[in-house]
C-alpha cells in the first residue's frame, strides 16, 4: 500500500493515472500539469574555457621581453656618451697626409710684424672712438624721445599712456641688412643644382 | 637722502598736475609728424683705416692657410711642364694633355669679367632726381614733403593734426596714407614719439597759440608714393640744407648720424 501512496503523490507528473483505483475520480483536474517549459533566455555567450599555459613558457617569454628592453637601454646609454660627430670640425685625412706639400713658405720680416702690431693698436683706438660716438648717439636719441614723452605727458596723460604701450606687432622683427652690391634689376639668376649632402642621424 | 629724492619726485608730480590743472583747455594743437627713412641699400664705403686693417687681416689669413687643391694642381702642372721641357723619359702624356690649372683660372676670370655688377651710381644720381628712391644707395634718405602752413609752403616732414579719439600712433599711420598714398608701406618702430618740436602761429587760430609736433619714426618698406604730392628723399646734408632752421635741429636730434 505504501507503493500506491507514493504513486498517488506523484500523480500530477504522470500522464496516465498510475492505478485504476481512481477511475471514479473527477474528470477535471485542477492540477496544472507543466509538461512544456521554456528554457531560460541566454543573453550572452557561454564563457570560453581559459587556455592554461605552461608557467615555464610564460616565464621564458617575460624574460625575453625584459632582456630586449635592457639591451635597448644599454645601447642608448652607450650612445649617450658618444656625441654626434661634426664633419666640418674634423680635418680630412687626405689633408693631413699632404701637410708637407700644402704648407706655404712664409717669411715675414720683423719690420712687417712691427708695422702690424702698430696697426692693431691704432685699430683698437679707432674702434674705441667709434664705440664712444655710437654710445653718445644712442644717448642723444634716447634723450630726444624722453623729452618728447615728457611733453606729451604735459599735454595729455591718456595719449602718454597709449604711447608707452609696447608695440607687440613688432615681434618677431626681421630686417634685411645692407648688401655689398646693389641689386640688378630684372636679374634672372642661373639655375643651379641643389644636392643635399647632410647625413641623417636618427636611429 | 632717499626721503629727499622721494619728496622731490612728489613735488615734481604735484607741479605737473598743478600746471595742467591751470591750463585746463589745451591752447596748443597736437600735431604728429612722421619721419620716414629709407635705410641704406648697400654698405658704406670703407675709410682709410678700415681698408688698411682689412688688407692686413687678408694677408695674415693667407699666410696661415694651407694650399688649396687648385694651388696643388697648379704646382703639379709646373713640375710636369718642367719635365716636358727637359724631355725626360718618365713624362706621363695623359697628365700633360689635360687642362692646366692656369687655363681653368683664366677661364674663370674671363667669366667674372663678363658679369656686370649694378652700378652704385644710379640713373637718379646722374640726373639729380631727388624724388626717386633709387638714389644715394649708400646713405639714409628721409622723406620731405612740401606742406602748406598758413600762407606759404614749407619743406617739412609729412605732418597732420591729431583728431580726438585716436592715439598718436594711429594719427601717424593715417598721415602716411593721406600724404603718400595707400601704396607706400612703412614700418613704424614704436608707439612712442621719438622727437618733439613746437612752434607758434603768427596769430591765434581757433584759440590755439601754436602747435606741438610729435615726431614718429618709420622705416620705408615697399611701394611707391602717389604722383600727386611733391616729395623728395633727402640725404642728411640735403636735409639740413632744406629744412627750416629751428625745425631741423629737432629733427637732427633723433636721427642716426652717418659716419662718411
Amino acid at each position: 500500500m505504501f507503493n500506491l501512496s507514493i504513486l498517488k503523490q506523484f500523480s500530477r507528473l504522470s500522464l496516465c493515472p498510475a492505478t485504476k483505483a481512481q477511475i471514479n475520480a473527477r474528470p477535471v483536474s485542477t492540477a496544472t500539469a507543466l509538461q512544456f517549459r521554456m528554457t531560460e533566455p541566454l543573453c550572452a555567450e557561454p564563457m570560453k574555457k581559459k587556455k592554461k599555459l605552461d608557467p615555464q613558457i610564460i616565464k621564458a617569454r617575460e624574460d625575453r621581453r625584459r632582456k630586449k628592453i635592457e639591451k635597448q637601454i644599454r645601447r642608448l646609454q652607450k650612445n649617450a656618451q658618444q656625441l654626434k660627430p661634426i664633419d666640418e670640425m674634423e680635418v680630412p685625412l687626405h689633408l693631413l697626409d699632404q701637410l708637407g706639400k700644402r704648407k706655404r713658405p712664409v717669411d715675414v720680416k720683423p719690420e712687417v710684424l712691427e708695422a702690424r702690431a702698430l696697426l692693431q693698436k691704432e685699430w683698437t683706438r679707432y674702434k674705441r672712438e667709434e664705440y664712444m660716438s655710437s654710445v653718445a648717439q644712442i644717448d642723444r636719441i634716447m634723450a630726444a624721445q624722453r623729452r618728447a614723452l615728457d611733453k606729451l605727458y604735459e599735454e595729455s596723460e591718456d595719449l602718454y599712456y597709449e604711447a608707452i604701450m609696447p608695440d607687440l606687432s613688432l615681434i618677431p622683427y626681421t630686417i634685411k641688412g645692407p648688401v655689398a652690391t646693389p641689386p640688378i634689376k630684372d636679374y634672372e639668376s642661373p639655375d643651379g643644382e641643389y644636392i643635399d649632402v647632410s647625413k641623417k642621424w636618427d636611429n | 637722502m632717499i626721503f629727499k629724492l622721494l619728496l622731490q619726485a612728489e613735488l615734481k608730480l604735484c607741479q605737473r598736475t598743478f600746471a595742467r590743472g591751470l591750463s585746463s583747455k589745451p591752447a596748443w594743437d597736437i600735431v604728429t609728424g612722421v619721419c620716414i627713412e629709407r635705410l641704406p641699400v648697400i654698405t658704406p664705403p670703407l675709410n682709410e683705416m678700415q681698408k688698411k686693417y682689412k688688407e692686413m687681416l687678408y694677408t695674415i689669413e693667407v699666410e696661415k692657410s694651407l694650399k688649396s687643391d687648385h694651388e696643388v694642381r697648379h704646382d703639379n702642372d709646373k713640375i710636369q711642364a718642367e719635365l716636358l721641357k727637359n724631355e725626360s723619359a718618365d713624362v706621363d702624356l695623359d697628365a700633360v694633355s689635360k687642362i692646366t690649372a692656369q687655363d681653368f683660372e683664366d677661364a674663370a676670370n674671363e667669366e667674372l669679367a663678363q658679369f656686370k655688377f649694378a652700378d652704385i651710381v644710379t640713373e637718379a644720381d646722374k640726373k639729380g632726381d631727388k624724388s626717386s628712391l633709387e638714389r644715394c644707395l649708400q646713405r639714409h634718405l628721409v622723406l620731405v614733403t612740401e606742406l602748406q602752413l598758413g600762407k606759404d609752403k614749407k619743406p617739412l616732414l609729412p605732418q597732420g593734426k591729431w583728431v580726438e579719439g585716436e592715439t598718436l600712433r594711429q594719427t601717424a599711420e593715417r598721415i602716411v596714407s593721406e600724404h603718400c598714398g595707400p601704396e607706400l608701406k612703412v614700418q613704424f618702430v614704436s608707439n612712442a614719439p621719438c622727437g618733439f618740436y613746437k612752434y607758434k602761429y603768427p596769430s591765434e587760430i581757433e584759440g590755439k597759440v601754436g602747435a606741438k609736433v610729435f615726431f614718429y619714426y618709420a622705416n620705408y618698406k615697399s611701394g611707391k608714393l602717389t604722383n600727386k604730392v611733391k616729395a623728395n628723399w633727402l640725404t642728411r646734408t640735403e636735409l639740413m640744407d632744406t629744412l627750416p632752421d629751428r625745425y631741423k635741429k629737432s629733427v637732427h636730434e633723433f636721427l642716426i648720424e652717418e659716419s662718411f
Side-chain angles (χ1 to χ4, degrees), chain A residues 102 104 116 120 123 126 137 140 145 148 154-155 157 163 165 167 170 178-179 181-182 184-185 187, chain B residues 20 41-43 47 53 62-63 65-67 69 71 115 169 187 189 191 193 212 252-253 255 257:
Chain A
R102 284 178 186 265
R104 251 174 241 281
R116 276 183 193 171
Q120 182 69 50
W123 175 254
Y126 167 79
Q137 259 191 70
R140 167 172 62 81
Q145 180 165 60
E154 277 173 25
E155 206 56 43
E157 215 167 304
M165 279 305 201
D167 183 3
L170 279 175
V179 289
T181 56
I184 301 173
K185 250 192 188 164
Y187 181 69
Chain B
R20 251 170 345 101
V41 179
I42 50 178
T43 47
N47 61 23
Y53 194 69
V62 170
E63 277 167 19
S65 67
L66 294 178
K67 278 183 187 170
D69 283 349
E71 282 169 296
F115 185 82
R169 165 78 181 268
Q187 166 86 63
V189 292
N191 273 339
K212 288 184 174 177
H252 186 254
E253 275 294 289
L255 287 179
E257 246 169 62

Side-chain angles (χ1 to χ4, degrees), chain A residues 94-95 98-99 101-108 112 115-117 119-124 126-127 130 137 140-157 159 162-170 173-185 187, chain B residues 13 16-17 20 26-28 30 39-44 47 49-50 52-53 56 59-60 62-63 65-69 71-72 75-76 115-120 134 137 162 166-169 187-198 212 214 216 219 252-257:
Chain A
H94 74 274
L95 285 187
Q98 303 170 346
L99 205 56
K101 216 171 162 189
R102 284 178 186 265
K103 269 261 163 65
R104 251 174 241 281
V106 181
D107 179 31
V108 189
V112 177
R116 276 183 193 171
L119 183 58
Q120 182 69 50
K121 282 177 191 171
E122 208 181 320
W123 175 254
T124 318
Y126 167 79
K127 283 311 266 187
E130 199 181 72
Q137 259 191 70
R140 167 172 62 81
I141 291 166
M142 277 168 72
Q145 180 165 60
R146 190 66 256 165
R147 177 159 171 265
L149 281 172
D150 283 348
K151 295 285 179 189
L152 186 59
Y153 188 88
E154 277 173 25
E155 206 56 43
S156 155
E157 215 167 304
L159 284 182
E162 288 286 356
I164 57 169
M165 279 305 201
D167 183 3
L168 294 178
S169 66
L170 279 175
Y173 186 68
T174 51
I175 190 161
K176 277 187 187 166
V179 289
T181 56
I184 301 173
K185 250 192 188 164
Y187 181 69
Chain B
L13 193 74
R16 259 186 185 167
T17 35
R20 251 170 345 101
W28 295 81
I30 297 181
L39 297 176
V41 179
I42 50 178
T43 47
N47 61 23
M49 186 70 214
Q50 287 165 333
K52 264 201 275 179
Y53 194 69
M56 185 187 92
T59 43
I60 290 179
V62 170
E63 277 167 19
S65 67
L66 294 178
K67 278 183 187 170
S68 67
D69 283 349
E71 282 169 296
V72 170
D75 288 350
N76 281 343
F115 185 82
K116 276 263 185 297
F117 287 101
D119 208 356
I120 291 177
E134 257 116 65
L137 295 177
W162 167 73
E166 58 184 3
T167 66
L168 281 187
R169 165 78 181 268
Q187 166 86 63
F188 280 91
V189 292
S190 170
N191 273 339
C194 61
F196 175 75
Y197 176 69
K198 161 164 104 169
K212 288 184 174 177
F214 294 95
Y216 272 76
N219 282 334
H252 186 254
E253 275 294 289
F254 62 82
L255 287 179
I256 293 174
E257 246 169 62

Side-chain angles (χ1 to χ4, degrees), chain B residues 233-251:
Chain B
W233 294 93
L234 301 182
T235 62
R236 291 282 186 270
T237 42
E238 287 164 350
L239 198 65
M240 290 304 118
D241 291 343
T242 15
L243 292 183
D245 259 341
R246 264 185 60 240
Y247 190 81
K248 74 182 174 195
K249 236 186 195 170
S250 329
V251 172

